[in-house]
Amino acid sequence: MWFIGLLVGFVVGAFLGQWPGALVGAFLGWLAGLALAPRKRAQPVGEPSGAAGEERIALLEKRLARAEQRLNRLEHPGATGERVEGRDEAAAAGVPDAGVVAQAPVPSPREPEAAALSPAPEAIPTDGEPPRAAPEPAAPNVLVAWLTGGNTIARVGAIILFFGVAFLVKYAADHRLLPIELRLSAVAGGALALLAAGWRLREKRRGYALTLQGAGVGLFYLTMFGAFRLYELLPAGTAFGLLVATAGLSAMLAVRQDAMALAMIGTAGGFLAPVLTSTGGGNHVALFGYYAVLNAGILAIAWRKSWRPLNLLGFFFTAAIGFLWGWRNYRDGLFASTEAFLVFFFVLYVAIAVLHASRPASRAARYADGTLIFGTPLVAFGFQAAMLQDERFALAGSAVAVSAFYLVLARVLHARHRDELRLLVESFLALGVVFATLAIPFALDARWTSAAWALEGLGIVWAGARQGRWLARAFGIALQVLAGFVFLDVLNGGMLGDFPVLNGAFIGAFLIALAGVASNRLLSGLGENTTVVERAALPLLFAWGLGWWLFAGANEIDRFLTDGRFSAGAAFLAGTALAFSALSTRLAWPHASWPTWGLAPALAGLAAVTVAHDASLLANLGWLAWPFAFHVHLKVLRGHEEGIAADWLQWLHAIGFLLAAAMGSWELHWFARSQGLGHSAWSVAAAMLVPALALVGIATERAGARWPVQRFPDAYLVRGALPVVVALWLWTFYANATHDGRSEPLPYLPLLNAIDLGHVLGLFAVFAWVLALRRTAIAMPAGRYLMRTAAAGAVFVWLNAILLRTIHHWAGVAYELDTMLRSVLVQSALSLFWTLLALVLMFAATRKGWRVVWIAGAALMAVVVGKLFFVDLSHIAGLERIVSFIGVGLLMLLVGYLAPVPPRKEGEA
């Protein structure tokens, strides 16, 4: 956190106040980074590291020996010989006698440290009791720990002294109190005095001595900068050399005294030296050569010390200065010289990452520096891509070279350090695979940025999952999201590629999808070790990856398959669901079962789009794709019955059944229209044929005894069948109102035409469905009386339509509502037909005791009487009127004789 604050403060300060503002901004950013740094858990007892850990163990061993001597003396107070013998043994071992330990010890300069390292009294176990672990205190903030640890007054004084000297220099310059050479020499002399005093006190007062040396190094930098930039007393070469010497001095002091802070001060000064002394006329070879030497120094320190902040400081300084130089000064003619330094820096920081992971503490903790491991190839390859932006195949070759480098390095490390560097080997192996994969889109298209970021984000998520770092995982996910938006921006520019599948558009989207779903799998495997936000984001992460995969496939199908895109879409959706179903089962991956839940709705949406385009579902290999899709639909539902909510599982089966019925209806209707029968009875009857047959199919006893109807009767016989029944009922009104029953080339015959045969099949299907409901003891949906009333209404309309169609074809009356209403023949025929129908209803009701049916027949008879006196009497004359009245009268007499009202049953309204 502190180095991010330092760099941000440096850049912001440079914009606001040039170089003086950059220095002040860098210092303030460093303080802010320390203040905002996340607190780390205090290192528990038993986990020493380095020299401090060894010293701590020695102190604990001495205290344990003293406690044993004291206990021995209490148990044997009169054993003088034993005491003397024990004292001699203790003296030989370098442990004071118990009697001496009992006295108050004389304080020493290291006594506070020993007291801090000694265990708490309550943590010492007694006989028969298990040891109790002392609570682990939370470590304070880094800035607070630096100020309060060691000699606080000296550290605060050093900061104040630094600012005081800076103010003194400015005040003397403003008021011209002394010659500038004398003032700067005095400041330099004070810096030397601080360094000398700190070096002399390094053994007695380590913390105080390091504070003095750090202040001295800082004053040296300030003096050199003022002499060159502010007062122009030193030429650029001399100032540069002095700054380099100061950096080397601080690094030497840091290594000699095991002081990382000094090394970081020297390194930061060394990196800033060319920037502070730059006149704008230097060449890049000298600049990068100097930084190569400086980074080689960091590598040398990394060989002996595991100072991760120093490694990161060098890495970020090198990347930032390289970016600024490339942005302002790079041109094509500088590729050869720049490439050599880029390769050098890349290999150097990979070596530093290996050295850091090879340290004993890192190996014991299975720890690796994810920032250097993944940041180094990301930055280096980004620079390489910027230099080769118009050379796609050269960039592909670079990706192959980087992949080979990482794979070979992983193989070598695995052979030599099979267990100690397992995490590092796996990271390098993953990077090798990533860059090998990236070589394909690089060679075929120029969308390297989004693909690289997505896969690098996956690598960071993987490393964060292995190391338990939520911040790294969050950064990896954010990098994938950014990659997706960058990729969309590239697609809007029209860079799609001309070859199916093997083009940048598909491969880039596929890699983003792969990164998303793989990240979801990695985080799902962590279980409760993830944060609350991560657990909430897991579904979104899988949906992100799945969405990119569907986009990749749909985009390819739409671009390269103009005729068979709907069939290919069905096969693509089914294949996706089948693949994720297998992954979900094999890897115990709950989110991977989602495509199986959404397959049926997705297929329904695709079928609706096909119908909207007035296209055949079975054309262009649709006869193969759609059966495959339905097979996969049933297969994945059967394989995930336990993982899907029961109610949603019922609906998925119902949706699949309805989709099959609807597709069959549309396909036969489309076929009839394609054969020139669009306005005939054939096309209308074709629309209901498959739904009626499907209803009959699920209503049979054989279907009811087999999966899936036997396992999900409610899904098929209620949720799936009821919409089909309603559709058949509505079809009855539509077909009879709009079609006259012409079935060319066959002549019209009542009941033997396409429309009437369709009604017969529909009635049979509904009757079979009702029997299936009774057989499975499922209650009639929507109520028994409502269903009977709806069925009676549909049959009544159909019978009247048969009469009207017969009159149309045999008597030449047009099959239109106005013409029929004005036709004397039609009105007379309707009166007689309704009377005959009422007679049949009332007679059957009398025989069966159906009082409600008898009342319905009587109501129909009343309608006929009303029609005779209020309609036919004024519109019908002559023989037709006579036939109507006489025929209706005779039929009513027959009704009165054959069909008296049945008696009311007990409890009947």
Side-chain angles (χ1 to χ4, degrees):
M1 181 66 72
W2 65 266
F3 56 84
I4 296 177
L6 185 143
L7 292 178
V8 172
F10 180 83
V11 175
V12 174
F15 277 109
L16 297 179
Q18 297 184 354
W19 291 112
L23 290 178
V24 176
F27 182 76
L28 295 178
W30 173 70
L31 291 178
L34 290 178
L36 297 176
R39 300 183 180 186
K40 298 182 179 179
R41 180 181 64 85
Q43 186 171 355
V45 177
E47 296 182 7
S49 61
E54 296 176 359
E55 184 178 0
R56 182 176 185 175
I57 293 174
L59 288 172
L60 291 176
E61 289 178 349
K62 290 182 179 180
R63 288 189 170 272
L64 180 60
R66 294 175 186 176
E68 290 178 351
Q69 287 182 358
R70 187 176 300 176
L71 180 61
N72 187 33
R73 185 181 182 186
L74 292 175
E75 291 179 350
H76 306 283
T80 306
E82 294 181 4
R83 179 179 180 277
V84 173
E85 182 180 354
R87 179 182 300 176
D88 295 339
E89 292 177 358
V95 181
D97 183 65
V100 179
V101 175
Q103 300 175 2
V106 178
S108 65
R110 305 193 64 86
E111 191 63 19
E113 183 178 1
L117 293 172
S118 61
E122 60 272 11
I124 300 176
T126 59
D127 294 339
E129 295 182 2
R132 294 176 294 171
E136 299 177 1
N141 184 271
V142 177
L143 181 60
V144 177
W146 184 81
L147 289 175
T148 59
N151 196 326
T152 304
I153 297 177
R155 295 185 177 184
V156 176
I159 295 175
I160 296 175
L161 176 62
F162 183 84
F163 280 99
V165 172
F167 293 151
L168 175 62
V169 172
K170 188 176 186 303
Y171 179 81
D174 293 340
H175 295 80
R176 299 181 180 179
L177 299 178
L178 295 172
I180 188 60
E181 294 84 356
L182 182 59
R183 284 176 274 164
L184 292 177
S185 299
V187 174
L192 285 174
L194 289 175
L195 283 173
W199 180 257
R200 293 194 61 181
L201 296 175
R202 68 186 186 279
E203 299 293 340
K204 300 178 182 179
R205 306 281 300 276
R206 172 180 171 81
Y208 185 73
L210 291 178
T211 301
L212 294 181
Q213 294 176 49
V217 172
L219 289 178
F220 260 127
Y221 280 127
L222 184 63
T223 304
M224 296 303 105
F225 173 75
F228 170 73
R229 180 63 65 182
L230 299 180
Y231 306 111
E232 299 180 354
L233 297 177
L234 294 176
T238 304
F240 178 76
L242 290 174
L243 288 173
V244 172
T246 305
L249 176 64
S250 62
M252 182 193 70
L253 293 175
V255 175
R256 288 288 301 273
Q257 302 173 84
D258 195 17
M260 183 178 63
L262 278 179
M264 297 187 66
I265 292 174
T267 302
F271 274 104
L272 291 175
V275 179
L276 297 176
T277 60
S278 174
T279 60
N283 64 77
H284 71 287
V285 175
L287 176 67
F288 291 142
Y290 165 71
Y291 283 140
V293 174
L294 195 60
N295 280 290
I298 296 176
L299 176 63
I301 295 176
W303 190 276
R304 299 176 60 93
K305 303 292 182 181
S306 182
W307 289 347
R308 181 173 181 266
L310 179 64
N311 302 336
L312 294 180
L313 180 69
F315 173 73
F316 282 105
F317 260 118
T318 303
I321 294 174
F323 172 78
L324 292 175
W325 177 86
W327 179 38
R328 298 179 57 183
N329 302 317
Y330 178 77
R331 57 185 183 275
D332 293 338
L334 304 178
F335 175 79
S337 56
T338 307
E339 179 75 2
F341 286 109
L342 178 61
V343 173
F344 172 79
F345 291 135
F346 169 72
V347 174
L348 183 139
Y349 277 100
V350 171
I352 290 177
V354 174
L355 287 176
H356 181 75
S358 302
R359 304 298 300 177
S362 300
R363 291 202 308 265
R366 298 294 190 268
Y367 175 75
D369 190 346
T371 304
L372 287 183
I373 291 174
F374 295 101
T376 298
L378 179 62
V379 172
F381 205 78
F383 288 159
Q384 182 77 351
M387 293 190 296
L388 296 175
Q389 53 184 343
D390 297 327
E391 300 291 340
R392 292 189 306 156
F393 291 101
L395 191 59
S398 300
V400 172
V402 174
S403 172
F405 171 78
Y406 275 117
L407 293 176
V408 171
L409 185 58
R411 179 68 182 88
V412 172
L413 293 177
H414 179 70
R416 297 187 178 182
H417 309 278
R418 184 178 301 272
D419 296 324
E420 294 85 353
L421 300 181
R422 180 180 181 85
L423 181 59
L424 184 66
V425 170
E426 291 177 353
S427 300
F428 285 167
L429 182 62
L431 286 172
V433 174
V434 164
F435 279 99
T437 306
L438 288 178
I440 299 175
F442 291 158
L444 300 175
D445 239 52
R447 262 162 301 278
W448 72 269
T449 305
S450 56
W453 286 357
L455 293 180
E456 289 289 344
L458 173 60
I460 295 172
V461 170
W462 173 78
R466 292 295 304 271
Q467 298 182 7
R469 294 185 172 186
W470 69 267
L471 188 60
R473 299 194 296 265
F475 177 75
I477 294 173
L479 196 60
Q480 295 179 39
V481 174
L482 179 61
F485 286 110
V486 171
F487 187 80
L488 288 178
D489 183 67
V490 173
L491 289 184
N492 290 333
M495 301 174 63
L496 300 177
D498 300 325
F499 199 81
V501 179
L502 297 179
N503 60 78
F506 175 79
I507 296 177
F510 167 74
L511 294 178
I512 297 175
L514 176 64
V517 297
S519 298
N520 172 274
R521 178 69 185 94
L522 288 172
L523 297 182
S524 299
L526 296 180
E528 296 299 325
N529 293 326
T530 55
T531 63
V532 176
V533 177
E534 285 178 318
R535 288 193 290 273
L538 275 178
L540 298 178
L541 189 58
F542 183 83
W544 168 267
L546 179 62
W548 274 104
W549 165 247
L550 295 178
F551 167 77
N555 185 55
E556 289 298 291
I557 292 172
D558 185 65
R559 289 176 55 211
F560 297 103
L561 294 176
T562 54
D563 295 331
R565 52 185 177 178
F566 299 119
S567 302
F572 173 70
L573 291 175
T576 299
L578 187 62
F580 276 103
S581 173
L583 290 174
S584 174
T585 303
R586 182 177 297 272
L587 302 179
W589 185 6
H591 289 125
S593 64
W594 285 9
T596 66
W597 307 355
L599 178 60
L603 292 175
L606 181 62
V609 173
T610 307
V611 172
H613 283 77
D614 197 22
S616 170
L617 290 162
L618 301 183
N620 301 303
L621 296 180
W623 56 269
L624 184 63
W626 282 102
F628 169 71
F630 279 106
H631 170 74
V632 172
H633 162 71
L634 293 176
K635 179 180 178 63
V636 297
L637 287 186
R638 190 166 192 174
H640 294 274
E641 288 184 358
E642 303 300 328
I644 305 178
D647 189 64
W648 180 237
L649 184 61
Q650 298 273 1
W651 278 115
L652 290 179
H653 280 276
I655 292 173
F657 170 74
L658 290 173
L659 177 61
M663 287 179 57
S665 173
W666 166 258
E667 193 61 28
L668 284 183
H669 177 68
W670 182 90
F671 178 77
R673 289 191 300 111
S674 66
Q675 300 301 316
L677 304 175
H679 299 287
S680 68
W682 298 109
S683 65
V684 180
M688 60 81 57
L689 179 60
V690 173
L693 292 177
L695 188 62
V696 173
I698 63 172
T700 61
E701 293 187 12
R702 183 177 181 181
R706 302 177 64 182
W707 190 91
V709 179
Q710 184 269 337
R711 179 72 173 82
F712 305 100
D714 182 75
Y716 287 90
L717 296 178
V718 178
R719 305 185 192 199
L722 185 58
V724 173
V725 172
V726 173
L728 292 176
W729 184 76
L730 294 175
W731 175 87
T732 298
F733 293 94
Y734 171 79
N736 290 307
T738 58
H739 285 75
D740 58 5
R742 287 183 294 108
S743 303
E744 293 89 351
L746 300 178
Y748 175 82
L749 293 174
L751 294 178
L752 295 180
N753 58 83
I755 294 289
D756 293 335
L757 291 176
H759 281 80
V760 173
L761 177 60
L763 287 175
F764 175 75
V766 173
F767 180 72
W769 171 62
V770 172
L771 292 180
L773 290 177
R774 292 180 178 178
R775 188 168 56 249
T776 54
I778 297 178
M780 179 76 69
R784 180 178 300 179
Y785 289 105
L786 178 61
M787 296 292 292
R788 289 179 176 178
T789 302
V795 172
F796 178 74
V797 169
W798 172 45
L799 294 177
N800 280 274
I802 293 176
L803 173 64
L804 297 179
R805 282 194 291 268
T806 303
I807 294 175
H808 163 68
H809 285 281
W810 291 359
V813 180
Y815 198 74
E816 299 175 355
L817 181 61
D818 293 340
T819 305
M820 292 286 180
L821 291 177
R822 291 193 300 268
S823 172
V824 175
L825 177 61
V826 170
Q827 296 302 323
S828 299
L830 285 177
S831 298
L832 292 173
F833 178 71
W834 288 357
T835 305
L836 181 61
L837 186 59
L839 171 63
V840 173
L841 290 176
M842 297 172 73
F843 178 75
T846 300
R847 297 289 302 271
K848 297 292 185 180
W850 296 337
R851 185 178 178 85
V852 175
V853 177
W854 190 94
I855 294 175
L860 181 60
M861 188 69 71
V863 170
V864 172
V865 173
K867 179 177 178 297
L868 284 175
F869 286 97
F870 293 101
V871 178
D872 295 352
L873 189 62
S874 59
H875 291 81
I876 301 176
L879 184 60
E880 288 83 359
R881 177 189 298 177
I882 297 173
V883 171
S884 297
F885 273 77
I886 293 176
V888 170
L890 290 175
L891 288 174
M892 292 181 67
L893 290 175
L894 187 60
V895 168
Y897 176 75
L898 297 177
V901 58
R904 180 177 300 176
K905 296 181 180 180
E906 183 178 357
E908 184 179 12

